Amino acid sequence: MEDPTGIAALAEILPADPGVDEQVDWAAAEARWGTRLPQDYKAFMSVYGGGSFNDVCVLMPLPKEYIQWDPGTFEEETENARYTWEMVDGQEGLDIDPDHILAWGVTSGPDILCWLTTDPDPDKWPVLVCGRHTRDDFTLFPCGMVEFLRKLLLDEFDPYPLSIDLRDASLRYVHWFEQQRQWKAGLDPDSGEPRTTTF
C-alpha cells in the first residue's frame, strides 16, 4: 500500500520508541499558526512524537506540560529563523517574506529546520534550512520534512545540508518525555546508561 507521507520508509532507517502518539490538538495548532500543517509532519508526530536523534530535535507545534525542561515548540525557533533572515538580508536567489518561514526542528549545530509556507497546500511546502556553519545561510530543499530526514540519514544531499554530521552516527529517535524521564532517573537520555555528568 502506498504511503504518501513517506513515514514507513523513514521508520525503516530510524527506529522509534514504540507506541508514542503525541496526541496533538491539531485544530488548536493550526488555529495558532493560521494554516493547516503538512500530513507528513502529522504522521511523524503520531509515530515518533516530539523528540530527537543524534542532535536533531523535531519540535512540537504547541507547548506541552513537561517534567524537567521545556521540550521546545515552533515558537522560539521560528522567531530565530525569521530574525536571521532579516539580519543577513535574505539569500541570493530566494525571494521570501520571512513571515512564510515556519520552524519545525533544530540541530545542535545550531541549524534551524523550517518550512517555506508560500504554497497554499502545506503538503507542498519545501524544507528551508537556516544553517549556522553551512556554505549558505539559507538553503531550500524541494521535499517535505519526512523526505528531508530520510535523505539526510541516507546521505543523499550534496553538499551536506547541516552544520553537524550524522552520517556515521548510530540512529535512535527518543521521545522528549522519555528523555526527561531518564534524565530525572540519573540516566543518559540517549543511551539509557547511568549519567556521568550532573548538569
Side-chain angles (χ1 to χ4, degrees):
M1 186 175 184
E2 188 178 345
D3 174 22
T5 66
I7 201 72
L10 180 63
E12 289 179 8
I13 56 174
L14 181 61
D17 292 331
V20 175
D21 187 339
E22 199 63 67
Q23 296 296 323
V24 174
D25 183 340
W26 292 112
E30 292 175 342
R32 162 63 187 90
W33 293 102
T35 180
R36 289 183 299 118
L37 293 170
Q39 289 300 318
D40 66 338
Y41 174 73
K42 292 179 179 181
F44 185 96
M45 281 290 143
S46 70
V47 172
Y48 293 92
S52 63
F53 66 95
N54 302 85
D55 297 319
V56 175
C57 178
V58 177
L59 304 170
M60 294 178 295
L62 295 171
K64 299 277 275 190
E65 188 174 339
Y66 53 89
I67 303 170
Q68 195 76 18
W69 63 84
D70 186 343
T73 65
F74 291 1
E75 197 91 37
E76 181 178 1
E77 296 305 335
T78 294
E79 289 177 10
N80 289 339
R82 291 174 179 178
Y83 176 76
T84 301
W85 179 268
E86 292 171 348
M87 288 300 295
V88 301
D89 199 24
Q91 179 73 41
E92 185 177 349
L94 295 177
D95 183 16
I96 296 172
D97 179 336
D99 286 345
H100 287 291
I101 297 173
L102 179 59
W104 55 264
V106 66
T107 78
S108 63
D111 310 296
I112 307 172
L113 310 176
C114 308
W115 290 295
L116 177 60
T117 68
T118 51
D119 197 297
D121 182 353
D123 294 327
K124 295 180 180 176
W125 290 349
V127 169
L128 180 69
V129 174
C130 173
R132 298 299 170 88
H133 307 289
T134 52
R135 185 177 69 183
D136 295 316
D137 293 313
F138 286 87
T139 309
L140 196 61
F141 296 89
C143 59
M145 64 87 67
V146 166
E147 182 67 4
F148 176 82
L149 291 176
R150 189 189 69 79
K151 288 183 173 184
L152 181 70
L153 296 176
L154 293 176
D155 193 17
E156 293 183 3
F157 291 117
D158 184 23
Y160 195 72
L162 301 182
S163 302
I164 59 171
D165 194 337
L166 305 176
R167 289 173 281 199
D168 294 323
S170 61
L171 297 175
R172 177 176 170 251
Y173 192 87
V174 184
H175 186 266
W176 67 268
F177 184 86
E178 181 62 14
Q179 290 173 341
Q180 296 190 21
R181 188 194 66 75
Q182 290 193 23
W183 182 268
K184 195 168 184 181
L187 303 174
D188 182 288
D190 294 321
S191 68
E193 299 296 321
R195 209 169 60 235
T196 57
T197 58
T198 57
F199 58 87

